[in-house]
Amino acid sequence: MDFLEQIDRDKLPQHVAIIMDGNGRWAKKQGLLRAAGHKRGTAGVKQAVEGCAELGIPFLTLYAFSTENWNRPKKEVDTLMNLLVSSLKKEILTLQDNDVSLHTIGNINTLPSKAQKELSEVIEKTKSNKRLRVTLALSYGGREEILKSLQEISVKVKNNIISPAEIDESLINNHLYTHDMPDVDLLIRTSGEQRVSNFLLWQIAYAEFYFTPVLWPDFKKEHLHDAIYNYQKRERRFGKTSEQIK
Ligand code: FPP
């Protein structure tokens, strides 16, 4: 069942974040190598991007490669990096056609130079697209992002640019990779796992979580619609009582 028709276009989440999980298990189930699972995972990325663009959701952030993923076998890391490069080459038109701009968060300078080059080309080519901003989290870790922010702030305090009393939530926010993005409204994780895995720790403070057993290569627009329909049925109270928000 596709919930597209039931979605209230006036109450869309502004920022959807996805932990794309289950490529390896999908491959195993088909009797294929893990690399084949990652390759099919790119179909899920396309579905999520087109699905958000069609609905008019302005921000989509995808967890494509965590800082911890560097610990996978070298061959698998190489596969993921090569797939990133080939997908960017192949899908640039999909981004243009859907008015999507590409961005990244994470330690981009630790990626292979080929990946860095391709990313900066696509970022440059899509920078004036307005409908949807897709952010790929690459070599990204949430704790590291907060740490980096604290280090930058400490230097400013040391140099008397700001005083400790001026450190507040918005100052910390302004030093995160996501400083010009709204907080996450809806966090989706596929493959039945129910963990956050160091993703956008600061930004998910009030996010609604949606877990689905669907493996990432099988992710379709209808699963996105299901997640959004589910999100819209929930009552977001931000710490208030039910009566206060009526
Ligand atoms: C998790 O599956 C997925 C990843 C580690 C990477 C996500 C990558 C893609 C969707 C493909 C390429 C992406 C782009 C942006 C071109 P897993 O390997 O952890 O699965 P498992 O838990 O079943 O082993």
Side-chain angles (χ1 to χ4, degrees), residues 19-28 34 37-45 62-66 69 72 76 79-88 91 102 136-138 189-191 193 195 215-217:
I19 302 176
M20 311 180 286
D21 197 6
N23 293 350
R25 276 162 285 166
W26 181 91
K28 197 169 181 185
R34 294 180 60 81
H38 293 315
K39 190 151 186 255
R40 271 299 281 267
T42 59
V45 173
L62 300 169
Y63 206 4
F65 195 85
S66 70
N69 285 153
R72 292 194 176 193
E76 182 164 344
T79 298
L80 283 164
M81 293 300 154
N82 290 336
L83 208 50
L84 174 67
V85 173
S86 59
S87 305
L88 288 167
E91 298 300 342
L102 187 81
L136 296 180
L138 290 160
R189 183 170 189 149
T190 56
S191 90
E193 305 294 346
R195 289 189 290 276
L215 301 173
W216 183 251

Side-chain angles (χ1 to χ4, degrees), residues 18-134:
I18 309 184
I19 302 176
M20 311 180 286
D21 197 6
N23 293 350
R25 276 162 285 166
W26 181 91
K28 197 169 181 185
K29 259 175 67 182
Q30 320 280 325
L32 300 169
L33 296 173
R34 294 180 60 81
H38 293 315
K39 190 151 186 255
R40 271 299 281 267
T42 59
V45 173
K46 198 166 173 173
Q47 290 281 313
V49 170
E50 288 178 353
C52 284
E54 281 162 19
L55 281 166
I57 289 169
F59 294 90
L60 170 67
T61 303
L62 300 169
Y63 206 4
F65 195 85
S66 70
T67 44
E68 292 75 23
N69 285 153
W70 289 113
N71 298 322
R72 292 194 176 193
K74 181 174 181 315
K75 217 173 135 196
E76 182 164 344
V77 171
D78 290 348
T79 298
L80 283 164
M81 293 300 154
N82 290 336
L83 208 50
L84 174 67
V85 173
S86 59
S87 305
L88 288 167
K89 283 189 199 295
K90 193 168 152 227
E91 298 300 342
I92 174 85
L93 271 180
T94 308
L95 298 178
Q96 302 291 31
D97 289 349
N98 286 281
D99 198 13
V100 176
S101 65
L102 187 81
H103 299 253
T104 56
I105 55 172
N107 263 317
I108 303 306
N109 55 12
T110 61
L111 301 180
S113 54
K114 229 169 53 178
Q116 290 188 44
K117 185 172 161 279
E118 199 58 41
L119 280 165
S120 49
E121 275 182 35
V122 176
I123 289 169
E124 178 61 27
K125 281 183 187 152
T126 61
K127 70 177 182 202
S128 38
N129 292 346
K130 291 280 177 293
R131 188 164 178 82
L132 165 67
R133 173 163 163 173
V134 170

